[in-house]
Amino acid sequence: MATSATGHLPPSPMKRRTFLDRLLGLGLVSTTLAVVYPLWRYLNPPASGEAATTSAVAGRVTDLAPNSGQIFKFGNRPALVLRTPDGEFRAFNAVCTHLDCTVQYKADTSQIWCACHNGIYDLGGNVVSGPPPRPLEPYHVNLRGEPGQEEIVVTRA
Amino acid sequence: MLTERVINWLDERIDLTGIRHFIAEKTVPVHAHKVWYYMGGMTLFLLIVQVVTGILLLLYYRPSAEEAYESVQFIVSQVQFGWLIRNVHSWSANLLILVAFVHMFSTFFMRAYRKPREITWISGVLLLFLMMTFGFSGYLLPWNELAFFATKVGTGIAGAVPFVGDFLVRFLRGGDDVTGATLTRFYGLHVAVLPMVMTGLLMIHLLLVQRQGMSVPLGVERAVRNGQPLKQMPFFPNYVLRDVLAWYVGLALLAALALFYPWELGTKADAFAPVPAGIRPEWYFLAMFQALKLLPAHILGFEGEMLGVLGFSAAAGLLLFVPFLDRRASEGKANRLLTVAGVLAVVYLVVFTIYGYVAA
Amino acid sequence: MPRVEFRKRARVTVLALGIWLVAYGPARAGQAPGSQPAVGCITCHEGLADARLSAPAVDEPGDVHGARGFTCLVCHGGDGTSQDQARAHDRARGFRGKPAAAAVTEVCARCHSDAEFMRRYAPRQRVDQASEYATSVHGQQLARGDTKVATCVSCHGAHGIRMVSDAKSPVFPLNVSATCSRCHADAAHMAGYVLPDGSPLPTDQHELYERSVHYAALTKANDLSAPTCNDCHGNHGAAPPGVGAVVNVCGTCHAVFSSKFALSTHSQIFDRGCVECHSNHEVLQPSDAMLGTDEPALCITCHGEGDNGYEAARTMRSDIDRLKEAIDASVALVGRAANAGMEMSDEELSLREARNHLTLARTEVHTFDLPSVQKVIQEGFDVTASVDQAGQAALDELSFRRTGLAVSLGAILLVVVALALKIREVDRTYGVRS
């Protein structure tokens, strides 16, 4: 093997190959990880469980006193869950049938009210007065879980 | 090394001599047109990407008219890296069909279909049609407005086939109209029937390529006959490394496309909404669609659309059986007519696809 | 026949007739008056050539009177058993013929204003139509001898009268405006009538009404609660709402607007209330263009540059426009993030709230009080601000993803470079061979 002026041997071809091989190996491993990592995360189901289009949890029974109501998200629409003065749970699509404003529960009259143009619905979702042309779409309500602490599960009729 | 130990362990149990010999001896011809050899491998890579991302998607997808759209929305927004999987699947589908067309045309112009590779060609053309069917059935699955109406128009065209047209439409749609039944049917096609057929065809195609080796263009074959030596490159590792390089570039391209040009969700399909203006199929059907649109309603007493559909079917048949039409190729001579026909076909496809986009 | 004999027979006949009439008279509980079959009337009249005389004899399926056994005799009197015209039409037997216009109300009211009687057939039905009618323009004109005006039969029909809820009835909500227009849109018929100020009574009300949102709601959106002529003018007591009463009339449905308007300065100034801006018959879909200081705004009809009202109108309009633009910008931002794969349904829900505030602001405009409108608008801006914040965070997450991609691409580039070098090396070592 030829020696250079300083007397050092040129780097052995064996070493160069191994370096390249190491580099290649590192690259292959890291790219494989970069592919496997998202796949692994994908396979783990997300917190929301499933595409919530037909059912949603509106809270716990302890959140709603009788003669009160609250708005929650149902799919991509607002929905209203209310508790009648007698303690019964009901839920409706909270989009007013007049001009799409969000309705609310009015405790002093125990009715559902739309602030925009004073549309009033009764606790069955039927129009009592004002401009709304159609009743509110009702949803099914079920309770699920430990007695006294149940979740309110609202599903599309 | 670990891999060597594993291979030896297997060799002691199932004789790997044949495979080892094959890998060691397999070569790939080297000449001016060898770049086209990578097209087949690229198609295969994109197909593998489709299968993997497709399987991942079907873990969360729901094939019913009520839930399909929402499940895709769920995948894209809630599932971790769902956006990546879905967008890679959509992009890879389009790239796959594009590369498959390139692969088909390159093998066509190089006359790779000539004896002894007729079956390879036929299985390949059938695979191409299969890919387009995959694309058509998969397009409907997100159940958005564009897909719904594109499917309505597309399946409606099947009605132009004489005698069996109405049956075909009902068979495709699972009823008289495009409904949830169509979705379920297309889903079954897309994830079960078509993959099964594809596996069979692909096995035949790949096995034949391995058995017969790579074809060379007619010019190179003539040079070899005249005594010029043909350079060969070892398949493993030289060609394989190049192929893997191309695949990595493809992977990078897919990831970048998925991030920078995400696929739209669109609006959920509504059967009673009016047809959106400028409805058209995906780009790989656009040339055909545009040509059908240009045909007059009646030609010599026959329905224009029917003649168009029959015409395209005839073209597909010609394409499928081109090895048997081109006798000269097996003799080593170029068929000028077919070259011209091929060039015209490419020009027609490119021009009419662009025209289809611009016209909308 | 001897006179004594005749008188005896006549008395007996009259007595018999009297007993017969009483026996079958309306006082008989549970039986409809004239429930003796009117076979005679029908048999003769259905064969007559004149359609006006034969049509009433046809049995209409929706005829509310016929279904309950009320026959021709109830209103027209006479002898329904006889086919001899002289006998059937005998005034002595109670035949009244076609009631004159002035007498129609009395004929109908005989039953319909009798609470006890109506309770047997339709307990919920009102019995004050006749007295209401007397207060109406139609009733007052009739009392003065004008027979061109509408009476009961003009709107309800004389024969084959259907229930108001029957879709074929001329007074079914969808048909009311056409029924009123039979006279009110006929220029020849309405000639001679004038408004309080002396100008001729217009006949284009129906034409204008057909362009209104109320008409569209009624005919296209199938909303039978949408107002037609009788909802604003009254049914039997039909008269135009008086000055000052318009706000109350519109306010029966549009309660929020009327209560806000009633508190505003404009309620003292506008003679015609809501009609000043929204018209009475041609009530069109309102738009933001009606507000402000640029054509076709209505504010500049009275307000000129420099006065407080002008400034308030301009500010209100520009505030509403700004909120609209903010909402559009937020929608675009959220749309971009959603399209890139981010979960934006909470933000989309909030944008609903922002749009609600836009609706509320347009309602608040009717107070014509700038500070209260601005309060509502500000709440809307608060919502869009928070949505923009969330949208921006989503876009930041997107940048984070891009960084992740860049890192992966870096790794891939590393591999590509290493592969290229490896290929070169391998080509050298193993080389291409012939």
Side-chain angles (χ1 to χ4, degrees):
Chain A
M1 221 165 321
T3 53
S4 68
T6 54
H8 287 282
L9 287 168
S12 139
M14 204 58 201
K15 268 214 184 96
R16 268 210 310 274
R17 274 212 293 277
T18 317
F19 170 70
L20 186 58
D21 287 340
R22 284 229 183 88
L23 188 67
L24 197 56
L26 177 70
L28 282 165
V29 166
S30 63
T31 49
T32 309
L33 278 175
V35 167
V36 167
Y37 172 70
L39 260 59
W40 176 249
R41 295 262 322 257
Y42 179 91
L43 287 168
N44 277 314
S48 28
E50 57 172 271
T53 54
T54 51
S55 98
V57 171
R60 292 195 174 277
V61 294
T62 45
D63 297 336
L64 273 184
N67 197 31
S68 72
Q70 73 185 33
I71 298 286
F72 68 98
K73 190 158 83 81
F74 188 83
N76 60 349
R77 292 178 302 272
L80 173 71
V81 63
L82 60 90
R83 199 166 182 186
T84 65
D86 298 324
E88 192 192 327
F89 288 96
R90 297 204 187 142
F92 301 94
N93 183 347
V95 177
C96 182
T97 55
H98 177 225
L99 286 179
D100 288 356
C101 288
T102 307
V103 302
Q104 54 190 279
Y105 185 78
K106 215 155 172 264
D108 55 353
T109 54
S110 289
Q111 288 173 321
I112 301 172
W113 175 58
C114 181
C116 285
H117 300 112
N118 213 33
I120 299 183
Y121 304 84
D122 64 16
L123 295 182
N126 301 303
V127 182
V128 170
S129 73
R134 288 176 304 279
L136 292 174
E137 186 193 348
Y139 294 146
H140 285 311
V141 177
N142 291 97
L143 301 178
R144 161 178 87 193
E146 300 289 319
Q149 285 201 58
E150 296 100 326
E151 284 183 327
I152 307 170
V153 181
V154 176
T155 42
R156 256 259 192 77
Chain B
M1 266 199 18
L2 181 67
T3 35
E4 272 198 40
R5 288 243 296 273
V6 170
I7 290 170
N8 286 332
W9 188 92
L10 280 171
D11 202 9
E12 287 166 20
R13 288 152 181 76
I14 46 174
D15 190 6
L16 294 175
T17 337
I19 299 174
R20 291 181 106 155
H21 180 80
F22 174 75
I23 289 174
E25 296 301 309
K26 181 173 154 88
T27 59
V28 174
V30 173
H31 53 77
H33 298 285
K34 72 175 196 306
V35 71
W36 300 107
Y37 288 151
Y38 297 102
M39 293 300 126
M42 200 57 183
T43 317
L44 182 64
F45 167 68
L46 290 171
L47 191 66
I48 292 169
V49 168
Q50 281 305 89
V51 170
V52 171
T53 53
I55 289 172
L56 288 171
L57 283 174
L58 68 74
L59 291 178
Y60 290 104
Y61 174 76
R62 302 224 178 145
S64 86
E66 289 77 34
E67 298 188 273
Y69 180 82
E70 283 81 6
S71 68
V72 176
Q73 196 175 41
F74 179 71
I75 289 170
V76 162
S77 58
Q78 301 269 43
V79 178
Q80 296 160 42
F81 290 101
W83 57 274
L84 182 68
I85 305 294
R86 193 246 166 165
N87 282 304
V88 165
H89 192 80
S90 302
W91 270 113
S92 180
N94 284 277
L95 288 179
L96 170 60
I97 294 182
L98 178 68
V99 175
F101 264 102
V102 170
H103 180 51
M104 186 269 285
F105 275 116
S106 66
T107 50
F108 175 85
F109 286 118
M110 291 206 291
R111 310 285 194 265
Y113 53 74
R114 64 186 189 276
K115 177 175 167 179
R117 293 181 176 80
E118 295 95 329
I119 305 174
T120 320
W121 169 264
I122 289 176
S123 60
V125 171
L126 288 176
L127 275 167
L128 177 67
F129 294 158
L130 211 70
M131 292 303 128
M132 293 173 78
T133 316
F134 262 111
F136 186 66
S137 55
Y139 192 55
L140 179 66
L141 298 184
W143 199 247
N144 59 25
E145 200 177 43
L146 276 177
F148 179 83
F149 286 108
T151 307
K152 205 166 170 173
V153 172
T155 49
I157 289 174
V161 174
F163 308 119
V164 292
D166 287 327
F167 164 76
L168 261 180
V169 172
R170 273 189 62 94
F171 180 78
L172 284 171
R173 286 183 180 174
D176 290 315
D177 291 304
V178 174
T179 59
T182 320
L183 181 64
T184 318
R185 195 164 274 235
F186 275 28
Y187 179 71
L189 256 162
H190 192 84
V191 311
V193 178
L194 295 177
M196 190 174 69
V197 177
M198 183 195 73
T199 311
L201 281 171
L202 193 61
M203 289 293 104
I204 295 171
H205 195 80
L206 290 176
L207 232 78
L208 282 169
V209 169
Q210 299 313 311
R211 280 279 296 185
Q212 295 172 329
M214 304 301 268
S215 154
V216 290
L218 288 169
V220 174
E221 197 183 53
R222 230 175 303 139
V224 166
R225 263 202 309 248
N226 293 341
Q228 204 178 341
L230 177 63
K231 291 219 281 263
Q232 300 272 6
M233 159 194 334
F235 177 74
F236 188 88
N238 301 54
Y239 184 81
V240 165
L241 285 175
R242 287 173 165 81
D243 221 6
V244 170
L245 180 80
W247 289 16
Y248 263 97
V249 171
L251 186 70
L253 182 67
L254 277 175
L257 283 171
L259 187 58
F260 290 102
Y261 297 99
W263 226 251
E264 224 188 30
L265 219 65
T267 44
K268 186 169 177 175
D270 176 5
F272 300 104
V275 181
I279 194 75
R280 55 160 197 251
E282 276 289 83
W283 64 269
Y284 40 91
F285 289 114
L286 206 52
M288 226 171 19
F289 182 69
Q290 200 57 30
L292 283 174
K293 265 170 71 166
L294 286 179
L295 285 175
H298 285 93
I299 303 171
L300 299 171
F302 292 102
E303 255 185 54
E305 202 181 37
M306 181 191 78
L307 287 179
V309 168
L310 287 180
F312 280 116
S313 309
L318 283 172
L319 185 69
L320 194 62
F321 294 112
V322 93
F324 307 103
L325 299 169
D326 186 3
R327 292 281 152 204
R328 296 182 59 165
S330 50
E331 295 157 17
K333 281 182 271 195
N335 185 329
R336 281 269 159 72
L337 189 66
L338 269 178
T339 314
V340 168
V343 170
L344 282 177
V346 173
V347 168
Y348 154 73
L349 284 173
V350 170
V351 167
F352 267 70
T353 309
I354 296 172
Y355 176 36
Y357 265 103
V358 168
Chain C
M1 189 189 297
R3 267 175 86 98
V4 171
E5 190 62 43
F6 175 74
R7 270 206 218 121
K8 226 164 82 175
R9 286 223 185 138
R11 243 183 274 135
V12 169
T13 315
V14 169
L15 194 62
L17 201 66
I19 291 168
W20 179 84
L21 275 173
V22 165
Y24 289 99
R28 178 112 175 219
Q31 243 195 332
S35 62
Q36 55 155 313
V39 175
C41 314
I42 291 170
T43 322
C44 254
H45 274 263
E46 69 186 2
L48 293 176
D50 188 347
R52 287 178 308 162
L53 296 171
S54 62
V58 173
D59 204 7
E60 287 277 334
D63 183 353
V64 62
H65 292 116
R68 285 160 184 74
F70 291 82
T71 62
C72 325
L73 303 168
V74 177
C75 301
H76 294 294
D79 182 356
T81 57
S82 166
Q83 289 191 34
D84 169 34
Q85 187 182 15
R87 220 183 126 99
H89 287 206
D90 192 353
R91 296 243 165 221
R93 286 187 168 79
F95 182 70
R96 290 189 281 277
K98 179 175 166 185
V104 166
T105 321
E106 192 207 312
V107 170
C108 303
R110 200 161 51 100
C111 300
H112 282 277
S113 293
D114 184 342
E116 251 187 85
F117 182 75
M118 289 309 295
R119 199 166 50 232
R120 282 188 251 145
Y121 294 95
R124 280 173 48 150
Q125 206 178 86
R126 296 171 62 159
V127 288
D128 60 352
Q129 297 93 334
S131 51
E132 264 201 311
Y133 179 74
T135 69
S136 71
V137 172
H138 296 141
Q140 287 172 351
Q141 285 293 109
L142 191 65
R144 285 192 206 109
D146 181 355
T147 52
K148 281 197 335 185
V149 294
T151 61
C152 314
V153 299
S154 316
C155 299
H156 289 278
H159 307 99
I161 299 176
R162 293 169 181 269
M163 298 254 235
V164 174
S165 56
D166 185 329
K168 287 194 179 155
S169 163
V171 294
F172 181 70
L174 286 178
N175 303 330
V176 164
S177 60
T179 305
C180 303
S181 301
R182 280 210 307 258
C183 295
H184 282 274
D186 182 350
H189 190 93
M190 301 307 295
Y193 292 107
V194 293
L195 288 170
D197 64 4
S199 56
L201 204 61
T203 49
D204 61 352
Q205 298 94 331
H206 192 249
E207 200 189 313
L208 293 172
Y209 175 67
E210 272 179 345
R211 293 188 216 144
S212 70
V213 286
H214 293 141
Y215 183 73
L218 200 59
T219 52
K220 292 196 198 88
N222 272 330
D223 183 2
L224 292 183
S225 70
T228 178
C229 312
N230 60 324
D231 293 295
C232 296
H233 290 286
N235 261 329
H236 303 102
V243 158
V246 168
V247 173
N248 296 332
V249 168
C250 305
T252 46
C253 296
H254 298 277
V256 170
F257 294 92
S258 82
S259 59
K260 287 194 194 286
F261 178 79
L263 298 170
S264 75
T265 48
H266 284 181
S267 64
Q268 317 295 326
I269 301 164
F270 284 1
D271 285 336
R272 298 182 300 155
C274 317
V275 176
E276 295 285 358
C277 295
H278 291 285
S279 169
N280 48 1
H281 301 110
E282 197 185 5
V283 181
L284 298 171
Q285 180 73 25
S287 75
D288 291 336
M290 289 164 73
L291 174 71
T293 53
D294 300 312
E295 287 288 328
L298 296 167
C299 312
I300 46 175
T301 328
C302 301
H303 291 285
E305 211 167 317
D307 76 31
N308 287 342
Y310 186 88
E311 288 307 315
R314 199 164 52 134
T315 318
M316 277 191 231
R317 173 68 188 278
S318 70
D319 279 351
I320 286 179
D321 284 344
R322 272 190 316 129
L323 182 58
K324 261 198 296 204
E325 277 161 20
I327 292 174
D328 287 341
S330 297
V331 166
L333 180 63
V334 167
R336 237 181 336 142
N339 209 37
M342 310 303 295
E343 220 293 281
M344 302 303 284
S345 59
D346 280 331
E347 286 71 28
E348 276 155 13
L349 218 65
S350 301
L351 281 174
R352 265 185 174 279
E353 281 309 305
R355 285 198 194 91
N356 285 356
H357 279 92
L358 203 54
T359 309
L360 283 167
R362 289 172 178 138
T363 313
E364 203 65 22
V365 162
H366 291 79
T367 60
F368 300 103
D369 175 38
L370 186 61
S372 61
V373 173
Q374 284 182 320
K375 181 162 163 297
V376 175
I377 298 264
Q378 187 51 49
E379 283 161 17
F381 275 122
D382 291 340
V383 174
T384 54
S386 78
V387 168
D388 285 344
Q389 216 178 17
Q392 199 47 55
L395 290 179
D396 290 341
E397 159 72 15
L398 216 63
S399 310
F400 173 72
R401 286 185 190 175
R402 291 200 176 154
T403 319
L405 177 77
V407 168
S408 316
L409 285 181
I412 289 178
L413 190 65
L414 184 75
V415 173
V416 163
V417 164
L419 274 173
L421 288 174
K422 185 78 184 169
I423 287 168
R424 246 204 345 205
E425 180 199 296
V426 148
D427 278 348
R428 251 192 322 217
T429 328
Y430 297 98
V432 285
R433 41 175 202 268
S434 302

